């Protein structure tokens, strides 16, 4: 048997390890979940050590399931969530919980930044709009709200850096995650001195930036033994989960776009150079030295559907548990029982503020058009439709920036619902393709790892590996109805700007 590689994806809600051969064959897959903590309004935290323990669990599990010896494994390659931030001491011990992308506690400092500095200049330089998910305002929050942690912090790092330090005792970060901090110049390809000064930190407070194909060797012997690995197993640092999802879905050429809905959601396309939007609607992150990804992400993907499940479908959860079903399958059936447009019910699913293309952390959820005819099943379908409206708003902006999109490939947990994918086809008015690779980011990490270790020549090899398993065609009549509803959806959003800001301030101050 040829050597295998482990692709690890450290996601928002869980960690997965998959072992692949170079032809894309998956030998084993293990996953586990971990909690998110919301102790205060606009806070979204996790425990870095809980995630590290999850990583150890899934890697050792996958190695056991694959029945591989340490010498059979060519390397381990990483994908991880963007924008996570934890303060650590010189030994890499966490001084704070991990702030994730959904954490909006630093919104007031974003507003100050926009008043005091040229936000468009910051965006043009970093590819990251001024928004509380990025590190600039988060570190300023630490400096002002938790000065003791700020002073004690030897480093500010991401969850991937935290795990790599536990493995190899080095503080290194890939260019992909660095480009998603809002502190990194995507044109100079280095930490931005001006922004570091604004944040009140030095370059020494951040990890050393390396290419996404960088290979480290020297896993601590005790940890390597627990994982079932040789201590000299190469560790490929990899990239962020979003950009690797493009690779994992086989969308690596210009004109190939990916749309992913999991806990959050994102729309992305690969380019050969950094590119930003004159209107500031999209972001730009690094993939490799030759590849960049432009796109936009939404806060409220599957997390909004989970809200609908938890608030309106407790009986269905009990039934699903007894019958061994997935509650979301039941909700998908509910949605299919209601007509296109949910009988005129529109959901603006801004439960956790919003990212692209509006970049409005003050936005809040709205159910518009409620009447006595509407019930639970209408709300479920309106939630699915509202999430897709969010994705379509990014798609429209992205096509302006990147040029005509020729193919749309989709991934994420939403592909398990045929009704939801059909809604996307109808809203977008485009053909939607579902690849046969279910583990986009983990597989993307494995592909990048194979390139780094010389097992395959380049990431374009994925084009011969990933096949399309299902095609969804838009229904013209449905698309016309969604065009009218989407226009109304956008007008509702823009007319509520003052009200969003006011209610967000009330929720912050009356908590």
């Amino acid at each position: 048997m040829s050597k295998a590689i482990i692709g690890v994806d450290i996601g928002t809600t869980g960690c997965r390890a998959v072992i692949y051969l170079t032809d894309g064959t998956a030998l084993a897959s293990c996953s586990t979940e971990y909690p998110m903590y919301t102790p205060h309004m606009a806070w979204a935290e996790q425990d870095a050590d809980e995630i590290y323990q999850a990583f150890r669990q899934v890697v050792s599990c996958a190695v056991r399931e694959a029945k591989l010896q340490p010498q059979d494994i060519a390397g381990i390659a990483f994908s991880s969530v963007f924008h996570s931030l934890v303060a650590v001491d010189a030994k890499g011990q966490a001084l704070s919980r991990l702030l994730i992308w959904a954490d909006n506690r630093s919104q007031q400092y974003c507003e100050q930044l926009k008043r005091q500095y040229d936000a468009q200049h910051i965006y043009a330089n970093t590819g990251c709009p001024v928004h509380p998910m990025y590190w600039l305002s988060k570190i300023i929050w630490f400096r002002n709200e938790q000065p003791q942690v700020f002073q004690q912090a030897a480093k500010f790092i991401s969850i991937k850096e935290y795990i790599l330090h536990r493995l190899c005792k080095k503080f290194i970060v890939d260019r992909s995650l660095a480009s998603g901090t809002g502190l990194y110049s995507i044109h100079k390809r280095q930490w931005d001195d001006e922004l570091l000064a604004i944040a009140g930190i030095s370059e020494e407070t951040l990890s050393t930036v390396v290419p996404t194909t960088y290979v480290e060797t020297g896993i601590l012997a005790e940890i390597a033994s627990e994982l079932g690995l040789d201590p000299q197993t190469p560790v490929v640092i990899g990239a962020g989960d979003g950009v690797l999802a493009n690779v994992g879905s086989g969308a690596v050429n210009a004109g190939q776009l990916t749309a992913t809905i999991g806990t959050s959601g994102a729309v992305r396309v690969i380019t050969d150079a950094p590119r930003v939007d004159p209107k500031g609607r999209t972001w730009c992150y690094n993939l490799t030295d030759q590849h960049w990804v432009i796109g936009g992400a939404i806060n409220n993907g599957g997390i909004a559907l989970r809200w609908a499940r938890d608030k309106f479908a407790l009986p269905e959860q009990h039934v699903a548990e007894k019958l061994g079903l997935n509650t979301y399958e039941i909700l998908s059936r509910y949605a299919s029982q209601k007509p296109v447009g949910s009988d005129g019910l529109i959901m603006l699913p801004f439960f956790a503020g919003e990212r692209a293309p509006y970049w409005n952390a003050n936005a809040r959820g709205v159910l518009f058009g409620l009447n006595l005819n509407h019930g639970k099943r209408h709300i479920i379908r309106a939630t699915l439709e509202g999430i897709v409206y969010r994705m379509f708003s990014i798609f429209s902006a992205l096509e302006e920036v990147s040029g005509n999109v020729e193919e749309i490939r989709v991934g994420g947990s939403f592909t398990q619902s045929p009704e939801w994918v059909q809604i996307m086809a109808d809203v977008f008015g485009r053909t939607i393709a579902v690849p046969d690779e279910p583990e986009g980011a983990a597989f993307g990490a494995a592909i990048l790892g194979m390139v780094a270790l010389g097992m395959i020549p380049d990431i374009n090899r994925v084009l011969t590996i990933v096949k399309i398993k299902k095609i969804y065609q838009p229904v013209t009549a449905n698309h016309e109805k969604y065009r009218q509803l989407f226009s109304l959806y956008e007008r509702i959003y823009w007319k509520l700007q003052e009200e969003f800001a006011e209610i967000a301030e009330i929720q912050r101050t009356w908590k």
Side-chain angles (χ1 to χ4, degrees), residues 309-329:
R309 180 201 67 182
D310 293 345
K311 304 304 180 186
F312 301 107
L314 284 177
E316 287 78 4
Q317 291 185 59
H318 296 316
V319 171
E321 185 176 336
K322 288 182 179 180
L323 298 179
L325 299 175
N326 186 322
T327 308
Y328 292 113
E329 293 178 23

Side-chain angles (χ1 to χ4, degrees), residues 281-447:
R281 295 168 296 178
T282 58
W283 41 247
C284 179
Y285 304 148
N286 180 256
L287 172 55
T288 71
D289 289 348
Q290 295 78 36
H291 301 87
W292 295 76
V293 177
I294 57 174
I298 64 172
N299 281 354
N300 305 279
I303 199 170
L305 182 59
R306 182 187 299 177
W307 171 86
R309 180 201 67 182
D310 293 345
K311 304 304 180 186
F312 301 107
L314 284 177
E316 287 78 4
Q317 291 185 59
H318 296 316
V319 171
E321 185 176 336
K322 288 182 179 180
L323 298 179
L325 299 175
N326 186 322
T327 308
Y328 292 113
E329 293 178 23
I330 298 175
L331 300 187
S332 183
R333 293 175 196 169
Y334 280 3
S336 69
Q337 294 165 3
K338 294 302 173 184
V340 168
S342 307
D343 284 328
L345 183 63
I346 297 176
M347 163 76 82
L348 277 67
F350 301 123
F351 296 100
E354 195 48 286
R355 291 186 277 176
Y358 305 144
W359 302 104
N360 184 357
N362 289 327
R364 293 295 183 266
V366 176
L367 267 175
F368 178 81
L370 274 171
N371 62 44
L372 294 175
N373 180 55
H374 289 129
K376 177 192 301 185
R377 301 181 188 205
H378 289 96
I379 293 173
I380 298 301
R381 184 177 182 99
T383 302
L384 301 184
E385 291 173 335
I387 294 167
V388 175
Y389 293 157
R390 300 291 314 107
M391 300 287 282
F392 182 67
S393 66
I394 300 174
F395 169 78
S396 301
L398 193 56
E399 201 165 36
E400 286 183 33
V401 178
S402 67
N404 185 55
V405 170
E406 299 173 359
E407 181 186 13
I408 299 175
R409 298 190 178 195
V410 295
S413 57
F414 97 113
T415 59
Q416 298 171 23
S417 167
E419 182 64 36
W420 205 353
V421 181
Q422 186 61 51
I423 288 172
M424 177 174 282
D426 290 344
V427 171
F428 281 43
R430 300 291 188 96
T431 299
I432 302 293
V434 182
D436 62 359
E437 172 50 56
E439 307 298 345
F443 185 53
I447 290 292

